[in-house]
Amino acid sequence: MRRVALLTAPWREPVWALAPFRDEPYACALVTGGQGRWSYLLRSPDKTFDTAADPFAALLDLLGARLAGDPEGPPFQGGVVGLAAYELGDHVEALNLARTDWPDLTCARYPALLAFDHHARQVVAVGRGETDVEAAERARAALAWLDASDDRAAFEGPLCADLFASDAEAYETAVAEVVDRIVGGEIFQANIARAWTGRLAAGADPFDLFTRLRAQSPAPFSAYLRLPGRALVSNSPERFLKLDPAGAIETKPIKGTRPRGRDAVQDQALAAELLASDKDRAENLMIVDLMRNDLARVAPPGSVKAPELFKVESFANVHHLVSTVTARLAQGRTVADLLRASFPPGSITGAPKVQAMKVIAGLEPPRGPYCGSLFWAGFDGAFDSSVLIRTVGLVQDGDGWRLEARAGAGIVADSDPHGERLETEAKIAALKKALTE
């Protein structure tokens, strides 16, 4: 994989470029929304794994020795896409977490990909190989993916006729218990989630959900990943970790939520209320401090900073409070060290992280992909990842698909159980609309 080749082609929408390969194991689309520049389409990996005694070591082994990229190319120029379930955290702290039927870490290595430049409105085919000739052949093969066609019509009607929410009263009771434990000094904050479950309608598949979400409420970290017997559809707004080849780290934790308003006046008022909320700012700052502590494990002293706090970012159904934490990766440290030091994401666990995870494990069934991370890790040392919120995990069951989505809220000392339950319903609204309307 020492050589890299780049070829360009006219613009195509990345979602529809993926359509012919929607059922292919390890077909993947990472699609940006808003002002993001790059989306990626990947298929035909040359190596995969989904079980390893040390998943972090297995990730490094799959990436191999660090390789230079083309400075004129996209940020991701071949490498690994990984799906880390929340329970990968058990390999960081031995908490004896129960498991779902999702592996802790699934990874696939791709020697070729299509990168979609939303700013320049062109497609870049990337090929990797041991020689210039092999790299160019792989880039040409990737470019040919654009010639494939898909004649399946978009699914019409509700994708899921019966979407069942977990018990609202039980959730409020769990929140009240967490508040008591916070007041008692056990923890400062914990993220507690509810589940929505159902089945896709006959004739519908996970790609139909992905396209509907992209049309209705595009998010910065939209993603589709097809695995053997499983699929992941994510509409996440949240970055987990970003690393550039020079070692600059960025994380952007989200804490603090308000629904969008009925009209512009109410919408602005809700955003202003979020920005002014002492509770939400304190909740956000706790997670900023947690992420600073996590990054300090793999960063030189003094390099961890928080250049932006409490920025309101608005999405289709909610406003969020977002902060930015930066650092530098210490000499000799790897992307696997960074992931191990920071996983699971602080924004969906709590503080202190380990004790919050113990509280979560006592109140929720295993999470699987929810609150884990979907990431790409480049051969050149670059890395980017999302927090898997606003995410649906789908498992093939006979001739159809069963699905689960969750939405959580960060619980602090002055949390109101009813208000936190309403927050989960605001967060699930876009997924619920795409599934049921």
Side-chain angles (χ1 to χ4, degrees):
M1 305 291 183
R2 290 175 294 176
R3 311 301 293 176
V4 59
L6 307 178
L7 298 172
T8 60
W11 177 253
R12 285 277 302 276
E13 287 293 336
V15 170
W16 297 111
L18 171 68
F21 314 110
R22 65 170 77 182
D23 299 325
E24 186 178 288
Y26 301 101
C28 177
L30 308 172
V31 185
T32 190
Q35 301 302 308
R37 180 172 180 179
W38 293 99
S39 296
Y40 302 100
L41 168 58
L42 307 105
R43 55 186 293 261
S44 302
D46 63 352
K47 287 187 178 181
T48 66
F49 78 80
D50 64 11
T51 302
D54 184 343
F56 300 100
L59 169 61
L60 277 186
D61 184 63
L62 198 60
L63 280 168
R66 184 164 170 168
L67 303 169
D70 188 322
E72 301 301 317
F76 186 24
Q77 298 184 25
V80 171
V81 169
L83 170 57
Y86 175 83
E87 286 74 27
L88 179 65
D90 214 18
H91 295 268
V92 179
E93 296 284 347
L95 301 178
N96 196 30
L97 298 176
R99 299 297 203 271
T100 66
D101 52 2
W102 291 79
D104 294 343
L105 181 62
T106 299
C107 288
R109 189 178 73 179
Y110 299 88
L113 59 87
L114 293 177
F116 298 78
D117 186 342
H118 293 260
H119 292 183
R121 305 296 286 178
Q122 69 175 7
V123 182
V124 181
V126 181
R128 284 278 188 173
E130 291 302 314
T131 65
D132 289 333
V133 170
E134 185 179 39
E137 287 177 349
R138 284 182 169 150
R140 283 194 294 270
L143 207 59
W145 302 347
L146 296 173
D147 297 330
S149 61
D150 179 59
D151 57 3
R152 282 173 285 189
F155 187 87
E156 296 184 3
L159 291 169
C160 176
D162 296 304
L163 187 66
F164 299 99
S166 60
D167 185 72
E169 184 177 346
Y171 180 77
E172 293 188 16
T173 298
V175 171
E177 178 183 331
V178 173
V179 170
D180 287 343
R181 295 170 83 158
I182 292 170
V183 171
E186 181 181 349
I187 53 174
F188 300 112
Q189 180 180 164
N191 188 285
I192 304 301
R194 298 174 64 196
W196 280 258
T197 58
R199 295 185 63 84
L200 289 184
D205 65 32
F207 186 76
D208 294 312
L209 174 59
F210 179 59
T211 57
R212 195 168 293 187
L213 275 171
R214 285 293 306 171
Q216 294 177 356
S217 56
F221 294 93
S222 298
Y224 174 91
L225 177 62
R226 185 72 159 82
L227 298 170
R230 298 180 180 86
L232 184 89
V233 175
S234 184
N235 206 40
S236 175
E238 184 172 1
R239 167 168 281 141
F240 177 30
L241 298 165
K242 181 181 179 181
L243 175 69
D244 72 16
I249 304 167
E250 179 186 84
T251 182
K252 296 177 73 72
I254 288 176
K255 269 295 165 209
T257 304
R258 292 293 184 280
R260 299 299 300 263
R262 295 186 304 270
D263 52 43
V265 172
Q266 186 190 46
D267 196 55
Q268 291 175 6
L270 286 165
E273 175 188 298
L274 174 60
L275 185 61
S277 168
D278 289 339
K279 171 187 177 294
D280 289 291
R281 290 163 76 96
E283 186 180 336
N284 189 286
L285 189 59
M286 284 185 207
I287 302 306
V288 167
D289 286 343
L290 188 157
M291 294 305 300
R292 290 174 64 184
N293 181 68
D294 283 352
L295 295 183
R297 298 172 183 167
V298 291
S303 76
V304 182
K305 304 182 186 303
E308 187 171 46
L309 295 174
F310 316 137
K311 180 183 178 182
V312 174
E313 295 188 6
S314 300
F315 302 91
N317 290 281
V318 293
H319 301 290
H320 280 313
L321 209 57
V322 185
S323 292
T324 301
V325 182
T326 61
R328 296 200 66 80
L329 192 63
Q331 189 73 24
R333 294 288 194 170
T334 67
V335 68
D337 295 322
L338 173 62
L339 187 61
R340 188 194 300 267
S342 308
F343 197 86
S347 63
I348 48 71
T349 49
K353 182 189 279 189
V354 173
Q355 189 58 33
M357 291 176 68
K358 292 178 181 177
V359 171
I360 292 166
L363 295 172
E364 292 184 32
R367 287 178 164 180
Y370 174 70
C371 287
S373 180
L374 188 67
F375 64 81
W376 61 257
F379 291 126
D380 61 354
F383 180 87
D384 205 356
S385 57
S386 67
V387 179
L388 288 177
I389 54 176
R390 319 294 195 272
T391 294
V392 183
L394 302 105
V395 177
Q396 276 188 311
D397 185 1
D399 294 330
W401 294 87
R402 55 183 169 87
L403 65 92
E404 179 180 282
R406 299 194 198 187
I411 312 306
V412 292
D414 54 352
S415 287
D416 168 61
H418 180 69
E420 301 294 354
R421 195 253 298 171
L422 293 180
E423 181 175 315
T424 68
E425 292 170 3
K427 290 175 175 176
I428 203 71
L431 287 178
K432 186 176 180 181
K433 178 181 179 182
L435 283 165
T436 63
E437 295 183 8

